[in-house]
Amino acid sequence: MPQTMVTPYLFFAGRCEEALEFYREAVGAKVGMVMRFSDSPEPPPPGVLQPGFESKVMHCSFSIGETCLMASDGCDDQTKFTGFSLSLSVPTEAEADRAFAVLSEGGTVQMPLSQTFWSPRYGMLTDRYGVSWMVMVPGEC
């Protein structure tokens, strides 16, 4: 019997392919399947897709570590990421430093990496695509 699970689905407002490449380099993302709107067996209903989005990513899947995520360009260039953060746990402070530095390039740091009472290394940022991240080394349980 299949398990119930929640998978983040991110909409990149026409920049999905660019974001996937960025996450490959930044956090070692592995891209699975990619389907473009032009490859769909059924075209979107008239007026749903912004002109020029025909060759954009309709659906894709990728993984970061053991976590599967899904993404799309969406149907237009109006996507906003609000109300959530992706939490990236890495095993060492050096890995946290590297991931935080790369993810924050072109983005905004909300909280620089530092020691907290729950983690030897924790920081928050919004990347160049508007996705909010919390980068951390897990503390002891």
Side-chain angles (χ1 to χ4, degrees), residues 2-77:
Q3 285 185 290
T4 300
M5 58 191 284
V6 174
T7 302
Y9 202 115
L10 307 173
F11 293 89
F12 286 100
R15 299 177 67 193
C16 187
E17 199 162 16
E18 177 186 329
L20 290 173
E21 186 57 37
F22 176 69
Y23 296 140
R24 274 187 187 130
E25 294 174 20
V27 292
K30 293 182 174 48
V31 178
M33 71 81 72
V34 175
M35 177 183 268
R36 299 181 184 289
F37 286 103
S38 59
D39 297 331
S40 175
E42 293 182 23
V48 168
L49 199 61
Q50 177 175 312
F53 267 54
E54 298 78 16
S55 64
K56 297 288 185 181
V57 176
M58 181 176 92
H59 174 74
C60 71
S61 62
F62 65 104
S63 62
I64 299 172
E66 297 296 315
T67 302
C68 180
L69 299 102
M70 292 185 261
S72 173
D73 276 308
C75 294
D76 59 34
D77 59 5

Side-chain angles (χ1 to χ4, degrees), residues 23-24 44-45 76 83 88-89 92 106 113 115 141:
Y23 296 140
R24 274 187 187 130
D76 59 34
L88 177 66
S89 295
T92 68
L113 278 174
Q115 183 175 358
C141 296

Side-chain angles (χ1 to χ4, degrees), residues 76-94:
D76 59 34
D77 59 5
Q78 302 301 309
T79 300
K80 301 279 189 266
F81 293 108
T82 60
F84 74 95
S85 291
L86 298 180
S87 180
L88 177 66
S89 295
V90 295
T92 68
E93 291 181 39

